[in-house]
Amino acid sequence: MEEPIKAPVPEQEEYVINMGPQHPSTHGVLRLVVSLKGEIVQNVQPHIGYIHRGIEKMCESITYPQIIHLTDRMDYLSAHINNEAVCLAVEKALGIEVSDRVKVIRTILSELTRIQSHQLFWATFGMDLGGLTCFFYGLRDREKVLDIFEETCGGRMIVSYNCPGGLMNDIHPNFQKRTKEFIKYFRDTLPEYDRLLTGNVIFQERLKNIGTVTREQAIAWGLTGPVGRASGLSCDVRKHNPYSAYDRVTFNEIIYNEGDSFHRYKVRMDEMWESMNIIEQLIDNIPSGAYAEKMKPVIKLPEGEYWQSVETARGELGVYIVSDGNKNPYRVKFRSPNFVHLAPLNLMSQGAKIADLVAINGSLDLIIPDIDR
Amino acid sequence: MNSFTEYFRGIFNGLRSLFQGLGVTGKYFFKPGTTVTQQYPNNRKDLKMFDMFKGEVIMPHNEKNEHKCTGCGICEINCPNGSIEIISATIVNEDGKKQRIIDKHIYHLGMCTFCGLCVKTCPSQALAFGQEFEHAVFDRTKLTKVLNQPGSKIMKGVE
C-alpha cells in the first residue's frame, strides 16, 4: 500500500507571501509581508523605503522658496495643499499677512486639488475591486480639473504654484469661467459615480464591516482625514484650525461612525460635494489685490521653531521647521498622513481574507512617496 | 417567511444595482458624442498647449538674434538642483567700458524639475517656458542645451 501524497502546505500551517513592491493594488512601491493561514490574514508587515529620497534632509541644504517644489513630490495628488503648508509656515514665521486675493485663490485651488484626488481615489478603488470602468470615468473627469491647473499654474500634477508671500503668477483670465463650467458639469456627473459603484451590490458586500476601526483606535493611532472621520473622529483642520479663507466659508464636516472601508469611501464621496460648495461660495468674489507680497530676495526666518498643519486630501499634513536664522532651515519635519495611516493596516486586516486586504489598502488611499518621502 | 422575502429582495436589489451601473455605461456606449479621447500622436499638428504650460526653459530671441540675458547668475543661484550653469565672458563695449556678458547659458533638462524659480526671479525677463513637451531622446548628452543662440547679443537697453 503506497502512502498518499501529502499536500505541500498543510491547511493549518502559516505561510508568508510578499505583496508588492510591484503589486498593482499597492499603488506604488509598498511591500506588504503577509502571513496567511489558508486565506485568512494573520499578520501584515509593511516594508517601506523603496522610494525614499530623503526630502527632509534635502530641505536642510536649500532655501525656503526651493523647498516648495520638493513638497510637490511627496503627496503628488495633493501637491497644491503641500505647497500651501510650507508657505503658510514660512509666512507665519515672518509675520506676513498675505492679501485676501491670495487666500481665496489658494482655497479654491486646494479644494480643486481635493476633488481631483478623490476622483482618482474613486477611479483606482473601483479598479482594485474589479470595476475597470470606474478608472476611465474617474480619469475622464479628473482631466477637467487638471486642465484648470495647467492653464493657471503651468503644471498638471506638480503645480509649484505657491511661493512664500503669495503665488507665482496671477490666475489666468479663464480660470473663473472654467472652474464654474467644471462645477456645473461635475454636479451632474457625481450622481453617476454613485449609480455606477456606490450602489453596486458586489462593491458593498466587499466593503461593509471590513477593516473596522473604532473611534478610540482612530485616536490612539493618530488617524486623520477621511480615515479618521469615517470612525467618528472630528479631525478636520479646516474646521478646527482654519487657515487661508476657510474661516469665511460654510461647509459641513463629513463624519460617519461606522469606521469600516465602505464609510471611508463614503466620506470621500461626500467631501467632493462639500468641496464644490466651498468653491461656489468663493469663485464669484475673488477680491482684487496683489497676487504676491513683496519679499526679500533671500528669505531668512528668525531663530525658532514653527509648525503649520493643513488638511490635505488624505489627512493632516504638518510642517515643522526649525530655523537657526540662516537662509536654509536647520531641520524640516513633515508629519505626513499616509505614514500614519499605514501603521494600523495590520490591526485592520487581521482575520480578514486576503482579498479584503486589497479593499482595506485601497480604502486607506495610500500614496507611497508620501510615506517614504 | 420573513427570511424568504428577505432573500428574494436581496437578489432583486442586487440585480437592480448591477443594471443601474450597466445603464450608465450603456448611455455612453450609445452616445458616441460624449467621448473625450484625444487621438494623440495623430493630432500633433493642431495640438496646442496652454500658454502657461511649463515645458522647458527657453531664452526668447528677437529677429535680430538678441536676447535679454545679462549673465547676472540669479537663475543659477535660485535653481534648486543645479540645472543651470552660466559661463560668462568679459568684453569691451562700444563706450570703451568693460561689460560682463554670457558666453554660454547651459541648461540641463535632465535635472530640471520645472519649479519655475529661474523664470520668476530673472530680473530682466530673459527666460521663459516653452511649449515643447516631447523630451525623449536616445542619448543623455542631448538633454544638455545651450540656451543662447550662437552669435547672439544682448538687447540694447537691458541692464
Side-chain angles (χ1 to χ4, degrees):
Chain A
M1 204 51 194
E2 280 181 37
E3 268 192 29
I5 300 162
K6 276 181 185 166
V9 180
E11 218 167 88
Q12 292 306 311
E13 197 174 299
E14 193 171 298
Y15 65 101
V16 178
I17 60 159
N18 280 300
M19 192 170 144
Q22 277 105 7
H23 192 278
S25 78
T26 56
H27 297 207
V29 280
L30 174 66
R31 175 172 159 222
L32 298 172
V33 179
V34 190
S35 307
L36 295 164
K37 217 171 225 182
E39 214 186 339
I40 311 291
V41 176
Q42 301 292 313
N43 190 33
V44 181
Q45 205 179 2
H47 282 230
I48 59 169
Y50 286 91
I51 193 164
H52 176 69
R53 293 149 294 175
I55 285 185
E56 286 177 11
K57 191 72 189 166
M58 272 155 83
C59 289
E60 290 169 19
S61 58
I62 54 179
T63 63
Y64 292 102
Q66 291 174 349
I67 289 176
I68 307 292
H69 91 289
L70 284 179
T71 60
D72 277 336
R73 285 151 177 85
M74 296 194 314
D75 183 352
Y76 47 80
L77 289 180
S78 10
H80 189 272
I81 310 178
N82 295 352
N83 293 171
E84 194 180 349
V86 178
C87 291
L88 287 170
V90 172
E91 282 154 17
K92 193 194 256 180
L94 292 171
I96 293 171
E97 181 76 16
V98 293
S99 69
D100 279 359
R101 184 181 177 80
V102 176
K103 284 182 183 174
V104 169
I105 293 171
R106 277 180 182 176
T107 310
I108 294 171
L109 281 165
S110 295
E111 289 309 311
L112 282 174
T113 310
R114 199 179 311 281
I115 289 178
Q116 62 93 12
S117 170
H118 288 343
Q119 279 171 337
L120 193 78
F121 159 75
W122 181 82
T124 52
F125 196 39
M127 189 179 68
D128 285 347
L129 298 175
L132 192 66
T133 318
C134 306
F135 190 70
F136 298 116
Y137 282 38
L139 285 182
R140 174 197 65 188
D141 300 334
R142 182 166 173 262
E143 200 67 14
K144 293 187 190 299
V145 188
L146 295 186
D147 276 350
I148 298 173
F149 284 166
E150 194 179 347
E151 195 171 39
T152 289
C153 317
R156 290 160 64 78
M157 277 164 72
I158 311 295
V159 286
S160 293
Y161 188 52
N162 279 307
C163 60
L167 307 168
M168 292 290 267
N169 46 272
D170 210 350
I171 52 169
H172 196 270
N174 283 347
F175 176 69
Q176 279 164 301
K177 196 183 100 216
R178 257 179 196 277
T179 309
K180 275 188 242 172
E181 274 172 11
F182 167 72
I183 298 287
K184 191 166 171 291
Y185 166 82
F186 198 51
R187 275 192 188 280
D188 297 337
T189 320
L190 195 46
E192 221 168 61
Y193 285 25
D194 287 337
R195 287 212 295 282
L196 200 61
L197 194 61
T198 314
N200 190 303
V201 61
I202 303 167
F203 182 73
Q204 292 202 0
E205 292 289 315
R206 281 196 68 179
L207 293 181
K208 281 188 173 166
N209 298 320
I210 299 292
T212 312
V213 183
T214 61
R215 189 159 177 268
E216 285 71 30
Q217 282 171 335
I219 295 169
W221 287 90
L223 304 184
T224 50
V227 182
R229 264 170 266 150
S231 303
L233 175 63
S234 167
C235 55
D236 200 329
V237 183
R238 298 175 289 169
K239 267 273 189 246
H240 295 292
N241 213 347
Y243 54 94
S244 290
Y246 284 112
D247 47 353
R248 67 184 79 171
V249 290
T250 51
F251 64 100
N252 298 324
E253 188 181 356
I254 314 290
I255 292 177
Y256 285 99
N257 292 317
E258 284 82 351
D260 57 356
S261 299
F262 184 68
H263 287 88
R264 285 196 279 276
Y265 165 83
K266 282 288 278 180
V267 169
R268 296 199 173 92
M269 296 305 280
D270 293 351
E271 265 190 9
M272 285 200 255
W273 288 107
E274 291 304 321
S275 295
M276 285 197 282
N277 286 340
I278 294 173
I279 295 170
E280 274 188 343
Q281 288 171 46
L282 294 171
I283 190 72
D284 274 324
N285 32 30
I286 297 177
S288 56
Y291 67 83
E293 301 294 314
K294 193 102 179 103
M295 300 289 281
K296 282 180 190 156
V298 179
I299 297 171
K300 285 182 182 175
L301 296 201
E303 215 175 310
E305 301 172 4
Y306 308 98
W307 166 263
Q308 175 69 42
S309 66
V310 294
E311 181 80 14
T312 70
R314 269 157 209 80
E316 181 182 344
L317 172 82
V319 177
Y320 176 64
I321 299 176
V322 183
S323 169
D324 55 355
N326 274 329
K327 62 178 184 173
N328 307 331
Y330 178 75
R331 171 85 169 96
V332 177
K333 157 81 186 157
F334 296 109
R335 184 260 184 222
S336 70
N338 293 291
F339 183 72
V340 180
H341 291 171
L342 178 68
L345 184 66
N346 188 14
L347 174 100
M348 288 175 191
S349 48
Q350 266 172 4
K353 299 255 173 29
I354 191 157
D356 296 338
L357 178 60
V358 174
I360 294 165
N361 194 13
S363 75
L364 290 174
D365 194 13
L366 298 171
I367 298 289
I368 312 306
D370 195 32
I371 296 173
D372 291 347
R373 295 196 289 282
Chain B
M1 185 64 200
N2 200 16
S3 65
F4 186 71
T5 47
E6 282 286 296
Y7 177 72
F8 280 101
R9 186 173 292 153
I11 291 179
F12 177 74
N13 283 340
L15 279 177
R16 199 187 56 179
S17 73
L18 293 182
F19 280 108
Q20 228 174 21
L22 278 177
V24 175
T25 47
K27 196 183 95 188
Y28 287 105
F29 183 71
F30 290 110
K31 274 192 193 165
T34 48
T35 51
V36 290
T37 315
Q38 282 192 23
Q39 303 295 331
Y40 161 58
N42 300 330
N43 70 348
R44 270 206 191 122
K45 269 179 199 158
D46 40 56
L47 183 68
K48 193 180 176 307
M49 305 306 285
F50 292 111
D51 297 336
M52 275 301 300
F53 178 68
K54 293 192 265 195
E56 57 177 341
V57 177
I58 52 166
M59 188 183 283
H61 287 64
N62 68 1
E63 62 279 358
K64 287 189 274 179
N65 203 11
E66 290 174 337
H67 58 76
K68 288 182 186 167
C69 182
T70 56
C72 62
I74 287 177
C75 50
E76 194 180 358
I77 296 165
N78 272 296
C79 184
N81 32 35
S83 16
I84 294 176
E85 246 178 88
I86 290 172
I87 298 170
S88 55
T90 314
I91 53 153
V92 179
N93 65 1
E94 295 148 9
D95 309 337
K97 284 179 191 162
K98 275 187 182 170
Q99 194 187 4
R100 187 166 166 231
I101 58 151
I102 50 164
D103 186 25
K104 272 179 184 169
H105 190 292
I106 299 171
Y107 170 53
H108 300 280
L109 179 58
M111 290 194 229
C112 183
T113 50
F114 308 103
C115 62
L117 284 174
C118 52
V119 177
K120 182 174 175 272
T121 52
C122 181
S124 53
Q125 283 91 42
L127 296 175
F129 273 115
Q131 308 278 306
E132 180 62 40
F133 61 91
E134 289 164 329
H135 293 311
V137 286
F138 282 104
D139 189 0
R140 192 180 289 187
T141 53
K142 284 179 186 159
L143 291 172
T144 300
K145 299 178 179 186
V146 178
L147 292 188
N148 53 327
Q149 288 168 9
S152 61
K153 280 191 295 193
I154 186 167
M155 222 177 266
K156 278 226 169 74
V158 179
E159 290 296 320

